[in-house]
Amino acid sequence: MRRKFAAGNWKMNGLSADLAELERMVAAKPSAAVDTAVCGPATLVHRMAQMGWPVGGQDCHPAENGAHTGDISAEMLADAGASYVITGHSERRADHGETDAVVRAKTEAAWRAGLTAILCIGETEAQYRAGDTLDVLHRQMAGSMPEGCTGDTIVLAYEPVWAIGTGLTPTADEIGAVHNALRDALIDRFGPETGVAIRILYGGSVKASNAAEIFGIADVDGALVGGASLKADDFLPIVDALDAAD
Ligand code: PEP
């Protein structure tokens, strides 16, 4: 069965002093029944990885090395101790013009380095209002998920762009309908065994106060958490809510 997964995304936040928050998370020893990770800024990944909490990067270049000033390869993240890397986050798609083809190449780079990719898809507010959510998600999945996905090498994160950092979330019914459709699409493309093995996270304004409701929705295997992953007091109750969910 799929293991529950709570992943934090610190985005462009975190200085040395903030490692104290990760230290508090480690000290709290959350349930071993839930997989956890924090995707930190590249500058902290190595130190985070030495603290005993699974760590991810937030992006990687498709190439292993080369003349790409300012970029970081998946191999570098793995070398620093990361186990995961986020690919296709909507902020990368918007701020850096990342296409589905680029996201696919980055996901393959993650695998080359032995990392599990946390691949993000999600519709904009305009697409949501136009009723295009599922069309958009199917297009993003087709374009950005490589062939050969497995339950160990990829985690799919459904993150409505309009819910990220806004305090807004879709209704439980809407999240349930989307996750159900994503599950069907995974089974269609990768077959029944792999299709049910790939975890689907929800992301977008998850916090302690809404976590239990969201984790009670069928086919929600956990969450990708931005703002509420920065502080142990905010993130640990989310991990506990995931542990308690049926
Ligand atoms: C995210 O950055 O992936 C995210 C879901 O952010 P937030 O939880 O702050 O909405």
Side-chain angles (χ1 to χ4, degrees):
M1 231 5 236
R2 297 184 298 272
R3 280 178 60 81
K4 301 171 184 181
F5 186 28
N9 173 16
W10 278 22
K11 312 194 187 198
M12 199 172 73
N13 298 293
L15 301 175
S16 298
D18 298 301
L19 292 173
E21 291 298 329
L22 190 60
E23 213 167 83
R24 293 177 62 203
M25 294 183 206
V26 172
K29 293 193 174 59
S31 164
V34 176
D35 288 344
T36 55
V38 169
C39 298
T43 47
L44 293 184
V45 163
H46 183 57
R47 286 160 76 188
M48 286 176 148
Q50 291 176 322
M51 292 170 66
W53 189 281
V55 173
Q58 300 173 10
D59 175 50
C60 65
H61 192 280
E64 187 175 342
N65 50 46
H68 304 289
T69 304
D71 279 314
I72 291 187
S73 71
E75 281 76 5
M76 290 170 177
L77 291 170
D79 185 54
S83 315
Y84 300 91
V85 63
I86 296 172
T87 56
H89 192 283
S90 61
E91 288 155 13
R92 301 279 326 165
R93 291 178 188 259
D95 295 355
H96 300 272
E98 290 190 6
T99 61
D100 284 332
V102 168
V103 175
R104 183 186 180 115
K106 290 184 172 197
T107 302
E108 288 172 333
W111 295 352
R112 187 186 62 221
L115 302 178
T116 296
I118 303 172
L119 193 159
C120 302
I121 56 173
E123 82 284 4
T124 64
E125 184 175 6
Q127 291 164 335
Y128 168 75
R129 288 192 187 287
D132 291 340
T133 297
L134 291 183
D135 285 347
V136 170
L137 298 179
H138 285 137
R139 203 164 55 236
Q140 290 178 335
M141 285 173 83
S144 60
M145 293 185 84
E147 296 307 322
C149 286
T150 70
D152 292 330
T153 56
I154 201 151
V155 176
L156 189 63
Y158 167 52
E159 298 210 305
V161 178
W162 53 273
I164 295 178
T166 59
L168 303 172
T169 58
T171 64
D173 283 350
E174 287 173 324
I175 295 174
V178 168
H179 279 238
N180 193 268
L182 296 181
R183 177 67 59 210
D184 286 347
L186 289 174
I187 291 169
D188 275 357
R189 174 147 173 217
F190 299 109
E193 213 169 295
T194 299
V196 298
I198 295 173
R199 292 176 286 187
I200 308 175
L201 309 184
Y202 168 78
S205 296
V206 175
K207 41 191 187 282
S209 57
N210 61 15
E213 185 188 12
I214 291 170
F215 296 147
I217 301 167
D219 267 313
V220 173
D221 300 312
L224 180 56
V225 183
S229 69
L230 292 169
K231 301 279 180 213
D233 282 349
D234 295 327
F235 193 51
L236 289 169
I238 293 172
V239 176
D240 289 344
L242 184 55
D243 184 36
D246 287 335

mmCIF file of all heavy atoms in Angstrom, residues 9-11 86 89-91 120 159 163-168 202-207 224-229, ligand 1:
data_model
loop_
_atom_site.group_PDB
_atom_site.id
_atom_site.type_symbol
_atom_site.label_atom_id
_atom_site.label_comp_id
_atom_site.label_asym_id
_atom_site.label_seq_id
_atom_site.Cartn_x
_atom_site.Cartn_y
_atom_site.Cartn_z
ATOM 1 N N ASN A 9 8.118 22.465 1.643
ATOM 2 C CA ASN A 9 8.831 23.230 0.620
ATOM 3 C C ASN A 9 9.147 24.597 1.221
ATOM 4 O O ASN A 9 8.247 25.413 1.393
ATOM 5 C CB ASN A 9 7.950 23.376 -0.633
ATOM 6 C CG ASN A 9 8.560 24.310 -1.664
ATOM 7 O OD1 ASN A 9 9.749 24.628 -1.605
ATOM 8 N ND2 ASN A 9 7.743 24.756 -2.612
ATOM 9 N N TRP A 10 10.410 24.790 1.552
ATOM 10 C CA TRP A 10 10.792 26.060 2.205
ATOM 11 C C TRP A 10 10.930 27.205 1.214
ATOM 12 O O TRP A 10 11.153 28.337 1.601
ATOM 13 C CB TRP A 10 12.103 25.860 2.993
ATOM 14 C CG TRP A 10 11.891 25.233 4.349
ATOM 15 C CD1 TRP A 10 10.821 24.477 4.752
ATOM 16 C CD2 TRP A 10 12.769 25.306 5.488
ATOM 17 N NE1 TRP A 10 10.972 24.075 6.062
ATOM 18 C CE2 TRP A 10 12.167 24.571 6.534
ATOM 19 C CE3 TRP A 10 14.001 25.900 5.723
ATOM 20 C CZ2 TRP A 10 12.751 24.436 7.803
ATOM 21 C CZ3 TRP A 10 14.593 25.752 6.981
ATOM 22 C CH2 TRP A 10 13.970 25.044 8.000
ATOM 23 N N LYS A 11 10.855 26.893 -0.075
ATOM 24 C CA LYS A 11 11.010 27.937 -1.119
ATOM 25 C C LYS A 11 12.286 28.747 -0.851
ATOM 26 O O LYS A 11 13.259 28.195 -0.335
ATOM 27 C CB LYS A 11 9.767 28.822 -1.169
ATOM 28 C CG LYS A 11 8.472 28.018 -1.200
ATOM 29 C CD LYS A 11 7.288 28.846 -1.581
ATOM 30 C CE LYS A 11 6.021 28.029 -1.437
ATOM 31 N NZ LYS A 11 4.897 28.580 -2.145
ATOM 32 N N ILE A 86 11.926 18.563 -5.991
ATOM 33 C CA ILE A 86 10.669 19.027 -6.580
ATOM 34 C C ILE A 86 10.944 19.377 -8.042
ATOM 35 O O ILE A 86 11.938 20.046 -8.353
ATOM 36 C CB ILE A 86 10.150 20.281 -5.840
ATOM 37 C CG1 ILE A 86 9.818 19.952 -4.384
ATOM 38 C CG2 ILE A 86 8.924 20.862 -6.552
ATOM 39 C CD1 ILE A 86 9.478 21.176 -3.534
ATOM 40 N N HIS A 89 7.383 22.827 -10.074
ATOM 41 C CA HIS A 89 6.575 23.667 -9.184
ATOM 42 C C HIS A 89 6.048 24.865 -9.981
ATOM 43 O O HIS A 89 6.747 25.405 -10.841
ATOM 44 C CB HIS A 89 7.417 24.147 -7.999
ATOM 45 C CG HIS A 89 6.583 24.757 -6.915
ATOM 46 N ND1 HIS A 89 6.063 26.028 -7.008
ATOM 47 C CD2 HIS A 89 6.153 24.267 -5.726
ATOM 48 C CE1 HIS A 89 5.351 26.289 -5.912
ATOM 49 N NE2 HIS A 89 5.384 25.232 -5.122
ATOM 50 N N SER A 90 4.832 25.283 -9.686
ATOM 51 C CA SER A 90 4.212 26.348 -10.495
ATOM 52 C C SER A 90 5.012 27.645 -10.435
ATOM 53 O O SER A 90 4.985 28.437 -11.383
ATOM 54 C CB SER A 90 2.773 26.595 -10.047
ATOM 55 O OG SER A 90 2.738 27.010 -8.706
ATOM 56 N N GLU A 91 5.746 27.839 -9.321
ATOM 57 C CA GLU A 91 6.564 29.065 -9.257
ATOM 58 C C GLU A 91 7.739 28.983 -10.230
ATOM 59 O O GLU A 91 8.167 30.000 -10.779
ATOM 60 C CB GLU A 91 7.015 29.301 -7.805
ATOM 61 C CG GLU A 91 5.847 29.757 -6.942
ATOM 62 C CD GLU A 91 5.965 29.463 -5.455
ATOM 63 O OE1 GLU A 91 7.059 29.102 -4.993
ATOM 64 O OE2 GLU A 91 4.932 29.575 -4.761
ATOM 65 N N CYS A 120 5.096 18.479 -9.713
ATOM 66 C CA CYS A 120 3.908 19.302 -9.439
ATOM 67 C C CYS A 120 3.134 19.628 -10.713
ATOM 68 O O CYS A 120 3.726 19.979 -11.737
ATOM 69 C CB CYS A 120 4.318 20.621 -8.789
ATOM 70 S SG CYS A 120 5.237 20.425 -7.259
ATOM 71 N N GLU A 159 -1.289 20.703 -7.170
ATOM 72 C CA GLU A 159 -1.234 21.996 -6.505
ATOM 73 C C GLU A 159 -1.949 23.054 -7.351
ATOM 74 O O GLU A 159 -1.346 23.618 -8.289
ATOM 75 C CB GLU A 159 0.223 22.432 -6.322
ATOM 76 C CG GLU A 159 1.046 21.509 -5.464
ATOM 77 C CD GLU A 159 2.139 22.274 -4.734
ATOM 78 O OE1 GLU A 159 2.930 22.965 -5.403
ATOM 79 O OE2 GLU A 159 2.171 22.211 -3.502
ATOM 80 N N ALA A 163 -4.343 28.235 -5.149
ATOM 81 C CA ALA A 163 -4.419 27.865 -3.725
ATOM 82 C C ALA A 163 -3.068 28.003 -3.031
ATOM 83 O O ALA A 163 -2.991 27.897 -1.801
ATOM 84 C CB ALA A 163 -4.929 26.426 -3.590
ATOM 85 N N ILE A 164 -2.017 28.230 -3.807
ATOM 86 C CA ILE A 164 -0.669 28.264 -3.213
ATOM 87 C C ILE A 164 -0.429 29.613 -2.536
ATOM 88 O O ILE A 164 -0.482 30.667 -3.180
ATOM 89 C CB ILE A 164 0.410 27.988 -4.284
ATOM 90 C CG1 ILE A 164 0.257 26.558 -4.814
ATOM 91 C CG2 ILE A 164 1.802 28.208 -3.706
ATOM 92 C CD1 ILE A 164 1.230 26.190 -5.904
ATOM 93 N N GLY A 165 -0.230 29.559 -1.238
ATOM 94 C CA GLY A 165 0.111 30.756 -0.474
ATOM 95 C C GLY A 165 -1.017 31.764 -0.343
ATOM 96 O O GLY A 165 -0.794 32.894 0.085
ATOM 97 N N THR A 166 -2.231 31.369 -0.681
ATOM 98 C CA THR A 166 -3.352 32.325 -0.671
ATOM 99 C C THR A 166 -4.301 32.115 0.497
ATOM 100 O O THR A 166 -5.150 32.963 0.761
ATOM 101 C CB THR A 166 -4.182 32.180 -1.964
ATOM 102 O OG1 THR A 166 -4.672 30.822 -2.025
ATOM 103 C CG2 THR A 166 -3.359 32.493 -3.202
ATOM 104 N N GLY A 167 -4.215 30.967 1.138
ATOM 105 C CA GLY A 167 -5.201 30.646 2.180
ATOM 106 C C GLY A 167 -6.470 30.050 1.583
ATOM 107 O O GLY A 167 -7.373 29.649 2.313
ATOM 108 N N LEU A 168 -6.558 29.998 0.254
ATOM 109 C CA LEU A 168 -7.727 29.406 -0.407
ATOM 110 C C LEU A 168 -7.452 27.931 -0.692
ATOM 111 O O LEU A 168 -6.302 27.565 -0.979
ATOM 112 C CB LEU A 168 -8.005 30.103 -1.740
ATOM 113 C CG LEU A 168 -8.230 31.613 -1.701
ATOM 114 C CD1 LEU A 168 -8.285 32.170 -3.122
ATOM 115 C CD2 LEU A 168 -9.527 31.921 -0.950
ATOM 116 N N TYR A 202 -1.706 16.423 -2.147
ATOM 117 C CA TYR A 202 -2.379 17.695 -2.405
ATOM 118 C C TYR A 202 -1.471 18.810 -1.875
ATOM 119 O O TYR A 202 -0.853 18.662 -0.802
ATOM 120 C CB TYR A 202 -3.754 17.767 -1.701
ATOM 121 C CG TYR A 202 -4.261 19.195 -1.743
ATOM 122 C CD1 TYR A 202 -4.821 19.697 -2.913
ATOM 123 C CD2 TYR A 202 -4.069 20.060 -0.659
ATOM 124 C CE1 TYR A 202 -5.199 21.030 -2.988
ATOM 125 C CE2 TYR A 202 -4.449 21.379 -0.729
ATOM 126 C CZ TYR A 202 -5.015 21.862 -1.904
ATOM 127 O OH TYR A 202 -5.365 23.182 -1.990
ATOM 128 N N GLY A 203 -1.404 19.931 -2.573
ATOM 129 C CA GLY A 203 -0.652 21.084 -2.082
ATOM 130 C C GLY A 203 -1.391 22.372 -2.375
ATOM 131 O O GLY A 203 -2.023 22.518 -3.428
ATOM 132 N N GLY A 204 -1.324 23.299 -1.432
ATOM 133 C CA GLY A 204 -1.990 24.592 -1.586
ATOM 134 C C GLY A 204 -2.680 24.975 -0.309
ATOM 135 O O GLY A 204 -3.762 24.488 -0.017
ATOM 136 N N SER A 205 -1.982 25.795 0.504
ATOM 137 C CA SER A 205 -2.557 26.319 1.744
ATOM 138 C C SER A 205 -2.976 25.239 2.738
ATOM 139 O O SER A 205 -3.972 25.392 3.453
ATOM 140 C CB SER A 205 -3.740 27.264 1.447
ATOM 141 O OG SER A 205 -3.283 28.405 0.737
ATOM 142 N N VAL A 206 -2.217 24.148 2.770
ATOM 143 C CA VAL A 206 -2.457 23.139 3.815
ATOM 144 C C VAL A 206 -1.898 23.683 5.124
ATOM 145 O O VAL A 206 -0.785 24.200 5.185
ATOM 146 C CB VAL A 206 -1.786 21.799 3.473
ATOM 147 C CG1 VAL A 206 -1.936 20.815 4.630
ATOM 148 C CG2 VAL A 206 -2.378 21.218 2.193
ATOM 149 N N LYS A 207 -2.693 23.585 6.172
ATOM 150 C CA LYS A 207 -2.244 24.000 7.503
ATOM 151 C C LYS A 207 -2.887 23.082 8.540
ATOM 152 O O LYS A 207 -3.727 22.244 8.186
ATOM 153 C CB LYS A 207 -2.567 25.468 7.768
ATOM 154 C CG LYS A 207 -3.913 25.942 7.281
ATOM 155 C CD LYS A 207 -3.986 27.459 7.356
ATOM 156 C CE LYS A 207 -5.369 27.984 7.037
ATOM 157 N NZ LYS A 207 -5.682 28.014 5.621
ATOM 158 N N LEU A 224 2.051 18.445 0.003
ATOM 159 C CA LEU A 224 3.240 19.277 -0.200
ATOM 160 C C LEU A 224 2.883 20.616 0.443
ATOM 161 O O LEU A 224 1.892 21.246 0.058
ATOM 162 C CB LEU A 224 3.555 19.436 -1.688
ATOM 163 C CG LEU A 224 4.786 20.290 -2.041
ATOM 164 C CD1 LEU A 224 6.056 19.769 -1.354
ATOM 165 C CD2 LEU A 224 5.010 20.312 -3.558
ATOM 166 N N VAL A 225 3.662 20.997 1.427
ATOM 167 C CA VAL A 225 3.304 22.129 2.292
ATOM 168 C C VAL A 225 4.346 23.228 2.155
ATOM 169 O O VAL A 225 5.538 22.972 2.362
ATOM 170 C CB VAL A 225 3.244 21.657 3.768
ATOM 171 C CG1 VAL A 225 2.796 22.799 4.669
ATOM 172 C CG2 VAL A 225 2.318 20.460 3.912
ATOM 173 N N GLY A 226 3.914 24.428 1.828
ATOM 174 C CA GLY A 226 4.839 25.551 1.712
ATOM 175 C C GLY A 226 4.980 26.292 3.032
ATOM 176 O O GLY A 226 5.720 25.878 3.930
ATOM 177 N N GLY A 227 4.237 27.371 3.178
ATOM 178 C CA GLY A 227 4.383 28.266 4.337
ATOM 179 C C GLY A 227 4.348 27.551 5.678
ATOM 180 O O GLY A 227 5.135 27.865 6.581
ATOM 181 N N ALA A 228 3.465 26.575 5.809
ATOM 182 C CA ALA A 228 3.304 25.908 7.108
ATOM 183 C C ALA A 228 4.377 24.848 7.362
ATOM 184 O O ALA A 228 4.288 24.113 8.349
ATOM 185 C CB ALA A 228 1.911 25.282 7.204
ATOM 186 N N SER A 229 5.387 24.771 6.490
ATOM 187 C CA SER A 229 6.481 23.823 6.772
ATOM 188 C C SER A 229 7.702 24.520 7.359
ATOM 189 O O SER A 229 8.686 23.872 7.718
ATOM 190 C CB SER A 229 6.893 23.078 5.499
ATOM 191 O OG SER A 229 7.533 23.935 4.575
HETATM 192 C C1 PEP B 1 3.885 25.065 -2.212
HETATM 193 O O1 PEP B 1 4.759 25.913 -2.226
HETATM 194 O O2 PEP B 1 4.043 24.037 -2.866
HETATM 195 C C2 PEP B 1 2.694 25.294 -1.409
HETATM 196 C C3 PEP B 1 1.747 24.400 -1.442
HETATM 197 O O3 PEP B 1 2.671 26.441 -0.666
HETATM 198 P P1 PEP B 1 1.607 26.818 0.504
HETATM 199 O O4 PEP B 1 1.456 25.611 1.371
HETATM 200 O O5 PEP B 1 2.255 27.966 1.219
HETATM 201 O O6 PEP B 1 0.335 27.185 -0.172
#
